[in-house]
Amino acid sequence: MGRFDGILDVSRVRDALPRANSPRAVATGYLAPLLFFYVFWKYCNKFLGESTSYLEAMSRDISPGGVQLNASYIPIETLTLTVGGVILICFLLIQNEFRQLGSTELLGGMAIGLAIGLFLLLDSYSVLAIIKAVASGLVLGLGLGLLAGFLLRGYYTSAFGMIVLTISYLWLPVADLTASSQIPFFFVGGAVLSGFLLLQNNLHEVLSIRPSSIGHIVRDRDWKIGLSLVSLLVFVYLTFSISLIPAISKDIPGFLSLVLLLTVFGWSLVIFREGAKPAIQAHRTAALTYMLLLPMIFYFLLRVMYLQHNPDLSTQDRWMIKFDFMVNGNTFRINSWPFEVEPTLDARWLFLKAAIINSIRVTLLSIVFCTILGIIVGVTRLSTNKLASSMATVYVEVFRNLPLAVLLFLIATQMGHTLPLFTDEENILGGAVYYSNQGIWFVTLASYRMLLVGLVLLALLRTFFRYSARVEPRRPTTPDNLIVGIIRRPFHSFGWRLEPMLAELFIIASALVFLYYLVPFTSTAGGAQGAVGGTLLLLYALIVNTNVDDDGMNELEIDDSDEALRKRFTIWVVSFAIVAGLALSGGTSGWNLSMPEYTKANLAIPGSWDITPGTGFEITPMFLALILGLTLFTASTVAEIVRGSIQSLPKGQVEAAVSLGLNPYQRLRLVILPQALRSMVPLMNNQFMNVWKNSSLAIVVAYSDIFYVIQVMMNNVGKLIPLFILLLITYQAGSLMISAVMNWYNARVTSVKI
């Protein structure tokens, strides 16, 4: 026998078959697989049949006199880029040869592509044309960089996939293939062939075959290379001559389903035998999963494309992904802050922006409150005081098992009953707080500028203390590459004492720039570009400070003697007093306060009172109900995370803390919680993302969040798919941002990296 690695022979198939020595063995070894393959056969026939029908409808060109009569027609170039692009992305991801690429090829290719895109601008100076040219140039350059990297480093399988897509894009428009059989077979059959070649994983050997080596392959009976080569040749032959074989051309889905079934069956036996190395086994498993999901992937992709080009114009209009309707005026009112949007005057984009800000502020506040409450309840559950631990347990069991929608409804209902009615407004603290079922107004700062000045002074004081306590690193590090060093640690040339201080001052300055541009973005209709720039600058400053810490250039030696502690405590108390004085002083009346100004037009008419706009700070009952619901619900799960993480610590850690003479609070703060964070943070990440997603239940309390605004837009406009995509992207972006922050924090607190 010649070489054999993955191609089945009779003896190996016989050895791999299960033993039928009992009815249960027959059922699990034969009947269950037969049922699976029958269901898989029906599944392939159904989805591939629909896919070929869509391809046939969308590729049929009926244009007598240059007028296209087929409403479903999509140019073959667009079909190739879309369908072929999805196949190529799956192919490259499964082949997984990106990690070995260098940055030189990618950066060089993107630079070339950007130059090409700018050159193609010619005399067009519109903003939209520039954006399209730059984007297309970067995509083209990225493709060129990937192709060059694959070829230069010998990854011919990935390069082959990219070259095939390029050739198909150039060749199909002039090939004049028939829409009834050749085009459906080319796309669907090409996807099946790509999965088969991924399973074989010997394309680099096939591409190196010369005519003189074919005889050597036959003599050595290297069936694996032979199968790959024959599959390529058969695919090319059938693409051109499929109409000559009626058995295949009349039932393309059935033929390709049979190929899929045989491939999945054969390679399932090979993979379940587990005779290959782990890396090869993982690659084959990924390729087999792709083969199993291929019919469904193809169906949903082509289904969406067909609905966007449906002969029914009303269906086509609903599915067309265009956002031109978002520039029109909105027709309903929402409760927004910090800037108001006006119905019929402001565009729907502004209403969506206001809804996103509403959801963000609810999420951030709920995350802070549920973390504090969850830690308190979780620690209390471990208390030796039976009353305290029992009350904490009751809280967890009640709110964890209560559906959030029901909890929000109960809170909103009770607030409506307990708060005084609009006609019976009340105030406390001499008019500093007014409250009713219409809202709560309380005193606030008239200007936050002095408060910001005070916070900056506190940040500078912290930087000074850290500068005084900084010691020379045991092993100072200097970046090897000058350009990379300037980007990672731009202040490294100032030495170990000044570099960390400058990095911290850079964060303070970046935070001020961020706030300077964030205020116009959150309080006006514009300011998006400045907010994005300020955010990127702040992120870069945080990355610089993180790099300084990771390189060991920020070592501190804190003096914890009683005298030093008293001195630092005194300085901080005085500093906080000064900041409080700065924040509360400086107004026209000597105080920087904005009291709610109560007005009533007619004392004899109940309910005619109001608060003058711009005075005080208002919290709506809907906002308060949503905050309470999210906090109480999520804190119950956070408490269990805290309790479980603390109990997972070795008992010796607590005993060691006791032997050091630490009191219970010191044991919790200095020993238990820092170690428990390693297991707490990943689980807390999930809960924080759940807070962001659970905020979509704000509709229960009539709070204008993202889901509420988009749902009303769907009912008013009817553009379901574009609005659903906006909803999906918004929640996905928020979840990814929360996950990125928590993963960064997890890396900071985790001492052992896996």
Side-chain angles (χ1 to χ4, degrees):
M1 292 293 292
R3 288 187 297 155
F4 179 86
D5 183 20
I7 307 303
L8 301 174
D9 62 7
V10 177
S11 61
R12 297 196 179 209
V13 171
R14 185 174 57 252
D15 295 338
L17 291 177
R19 304 298 180 185
N21 50 13
S22 67
R24 181 178 179 180
V26 173
T28 57
Y30 289 95
L31 296 182
L34 288 176
L35 178 62
F36 166 76
F37 286 115
Y38 173 76
V39 174
F40 182 71
W41 166 263
K42 302 294 289 184
Y43 151 77
C44 290
N45 263 293
K46 175 64 177 177
F47 284 104
L48 292 183
E50 295 288 342
S51 300
T52 53
S53 300
Y54 291 146
L55 282 170
E56 180 180 353
M58 292 186 295
S59 61
R60 192 177 299 278
D61 186 4
I62 308 175
S63 53
V67 179
Q68 184 58 248
L69 301 180
N70 181 13
S72 302
Y73 176 72
I74 299 178
I76 194 65
E77 298 92 337
T78 305
L79 272 178
T80 305
L81 282 180
T82 306
V83 180
V86 171
I87 298 173
L88 177 62
I89 290 173
C90 296
F91 187 88
L92 295 179
L93 290 176
I94 295 172
Q95 195 62 24
N96 195 23
E97 294 174 337
F98 294 101
R99 292 184 177 181
Q100 289 78 11
L101 293 182
S103 59
T104 305
E105 296 89 350
L106 298 180
L107 294 177
M110 292 180 69
I112 294 174
L114 182 60
I116 294 174
L118 294 177
F119 175 76
L120 293 177
L121 282 175
L122 298 178
D123 296 330
S124 178
Y125 297 104
S126 66
V127 176
L128 184 60
I130 293 174
I131 293 175
K132 288 183 177 180
V134 171
S136 59
L138 289 176
V139 172
L140 174 63
L142 181 61
L144 292 175
L146 286 173
L147 180 59
F150 289 137
L151 290 174
L152 292 175
R153 298 179 184 271
Y155 304 127
Y156 299 118
T157 301
S158 299
F160 174 79
M162 300 182 69
I163 293 173
V164 167
L165 178 60
T166 304
I167 294 175
S168 301
Y169 178 77
L170 299 175
W171 170 71
L172 281 177
V174 298
D176 196 23
L177 300 180
T178 60
S180 59
S181 57
Q182 289 179 307
I183 290 180
F185 177 80
F186 179 81
F187 284 109
V188 183
V192 175
L193 177 63
S194 68
F196 179 76
L197 294 176
L198 285 170
L199 285 167
Q200 295 283 97
N201 198 24
N202 60 352
L203 198 54
H204 56 287
E205 299 177 14
V206 174
L207 296 176
S208 61
I209 293 178
R210 299 178 181 178
S212 58
S213 61
I214 296 179
H216 175 73
I217 295 174
V218 175
R219 284 194 305 271
D220 289 351
R221 303 177 70 180
D222 197 344
W223 302 115
K224 190 177 180 184
I225 295 180
L227 265 179
S228 299
L229 180 61
V230 169
S231 63
L232 285 169
L233 296 177
V234 169
F235 173 75
V236 173
Y237 172 76
L238 290 178
T239 299
F240 289 100
S241 308
I242 191 172
S243 58
L244 302 178
I245 310 176
I248 299 178
S249 61
K250 291 182 179 179
D251 190 13
I252 295 176
F255 172 72
L256 295 177
S257 298
L258 179 62
V259 173
L260 269 174
L261 181 64
L262 294 176
T263 303
V264 169
F265 173 74
W267 278 100
S268 296
L269 293 180
V270 173
I271 292 175
F272 292 155
R273 195 178 62 205
E274 297 184 354
K277 297 179 180 179
I280 298 176
Q281 193 80 354
H283 181 274
R284 289 175 176 174
T285 303
L288 184 65
T289 304
Y290 165 71
M291 295 287 281
L292 291 171
L293 298 178
L294 179 61
M296 186 171 59
I297 294 173
F298 239 88
Y299 169 77
F300 283 113
L301 173 65
L302 295 173
R303 172 71 176 171
V304 171
M305 295 180 64
Y306 180 75
L307 288 173
Q308 292 181 357
H309 298 79
N310 197 288
D312 185 359
L313 296 181
S314 61
T315 303
Q316 183 182 132
D317 183 63
R318 287 197 303 268
W319 279 83
M320 189 61 65
I321 304 178
K322 291 183 179 179
F323 300 97
D324 50 352
F325 65 94
M326 292 293 290
V327 300
N328 300 327
N330 204 29
T331 57
F332 60 93
R333 182 175 296 277
I334 65 173
N335 47 358
S336 59
W337 183 87
F339 73 96
E340 299 292 334
V341 285
E342 295 295 333
T344 70
L345 297 179
D346 291 328
R348 293 189 176 94
W349 285 118
L350 289 181
F351 276 75
L352 180 61
K353 173 183 173 180
I356 292 174
I357 294 175
N358 282 350
S359 295
I360 289 175
R361 60 194 180 101
V362 162
T363 301
L364 293 179
L365 285 175
S366 299
I367 286 175
V368 173
F369 293 150
C370 76
T371 303
I372 297 173
L373 181 60
I375 292 175
I376 294 174
V377 175
V379 174
T380 305
R381 286 203 66 184
L382 301 174
S383 174
T384 56
N385 187 307
K386 195 64 177 177
L387 177 61
S389 61
S390 300
M391 292 180 62
T393 302
V394 170
Y395 167 81
V396 169
E397 296 302 330
V398 169
F399 287 100
R400 185 177 60 174
N401 298 321
L402 190 65
L404 180 57
V406 176
L407 177 60
L408 290 173
F409 177 77
L410 292 175
I411 292 175
T413 304
Q414 290 304 310
M415 288 182 62
H417 287 298
T418 56
L419 287 175
L421 299 179
F422 180 70
T423 56
D424 304 320
E425 80 288 347
E426 294 185 11
N427 70 86
I428 58 176
L429 301 177
V433 178
Y434 282 87
Y435 61 98
S436 74
N437 64 346
Q438 299 299 306
I440 304 172
W441 293 262
F442 58 90
V443 63
T444 184
L445 297 178
S447 174
Y448 291 92
R449 183 172 301 175
M450 297 306 296
L451 175 62
L452 181 60
V453 171
L455 294 177
V456 171
L457 291 177
L458 291 178
L460 293 175
L461 180 62
R462 176 183 178 274
T463 301
F464 171 75
F465 278 141
R466 290 172 62 85
Y467 173 78
S468 303
R470 192 163 287 118
V471 295
E472 185 175 1
R474 289 185 292 271
R475 283 184 286 181
T477 58
T478 302
D480 298 330
N481 191 303
L482 179 61
I483 298 178
V484 175
I486 293 176
I487 296 175
R488 288 186 73 252
R489 288 169 48 190
F491 310 111
H492 71 272
S493 60
F494 289 91
W496 63 269
R497 286 191 67 88
L498 291 178
E499 181 187 6
M501 184 187 70
L502 292 175
E504 294 176 3
L505 293 177
F506 185 32
I507 291 181
I508 297 174
S510 302
L512 291 175
V513 174
F514 170 72
L515 292 175
Y516 178 79
Y517 287 106
L518 182 66
V519 172
F521 174 71
T522 57
S523 57
T524 64
Q529 294 84 356
V532 171
T535 303
L536 294 177
L537 180 63
L538 180 59
L539 289 176
Y540 175 64
L542 293 173
I543 292 173
V544 168
N545 191 71
T546 301
N547 292 332
V548 172
D549 286 341
D550 291 341
D551 291 346
M553 301 300 294
N554 199 14
E555 295 189 9
L556 304 175
E557 189 175 291
I558 306 297
D559 184 4
D560 56 355
S561 64
D562 293 341
E563 181 181 356
L565 290 176
R566 283 195 298 269
K567 182 179 179 180
R568 284 200 299 271
F569 178 77
T570 303
I571 294 175
W572 278 114
V573 169
V574 173
S575 300
F576 275 106
I578 294 174
V579 170
L582 288 174
L584 295 176
S585 63
T588 55
S589 61
W591 292 97
N592 186 26
L593 297 176
S594 175
M595 299 285 290
E597 294 184 5
Y598 173 80
T599 59
K600 190 165 186 177
N602 192 334
L603 298 176
I605 301 177
S608 62
W609 68 277
D610 200 358
I611 300 295
T612 303
T615 62
F617 186 83
E618 180 186 6
I619 296 181
T620 62
M622 297 81 74
F623 178 80
L624 185 59
L626 186 58
I627 289 286
L628 287 175
L630 290 174
T631 299
L632 294 174
F633 179 80
T634 312
S636 61
T637 307
V638 171
E640 287 297 277
I641 293 173
V642 173
R643 181 186 62 84
S645 300
I646 292 176
Q647 288 184 325
S648 66
L649 294 178
K651 189 177 181 180
Q653 296 292 324
V654 180
E655 294 174 349
V658 173
S659 66
L660 292 175
L662 300 179
N663 59 43
Y665 173 73
Q666 290 175 324
R667 293 199 296 268
L668 182 66
R669 184 177 65 89
L670 300 176
V671 178
I672 297 175
L673 283 182
Q675 295 186 74
L677 279 175
R678 292 178 53 193
S679 57
M680 283 170 51
V681 172
L683 300 175
M684 299 279 271
N685 184 11
N686 294 333
Q687 293 307 311
F688 293 164
M689 286 192 290
N690 285 339
V691 173
W692 167 247
K693 291 178 287 188
N694 287 339
S695 66
S696 60
L697 290 174
I699 193 173
V700 176
V701 296
Y703 182 72
S704 303
D705 74 318
I706 303 169
F707 181 75
Y708 172 81
V709 170
I710 287 187
Q711 185 185 44
V712 177
M713 286 184 184
M714 286 180 179
N715 295 330
N716 292 349
V717 184
K719 301 287 187 178
L720 303 182
I721 302 306
L723 289 170
F724 179 78
I725 291 176
L726 282 178
L727 184 68
L728 179 66
I729 291 175
T730 304
Y731 279 111
Q732 188 70 26
S735 298
L736 290 176
M737 290 179 64
I738 294 174
S739 179
V741 173
M742 293 302 295
N743 288 335
W744 171 83
Y745 182 70
N746 186 43
R748 308 301 298 168
V749 301
T750 304
S751 57
V752 179
K753 294 181 173 61
I754 301 176

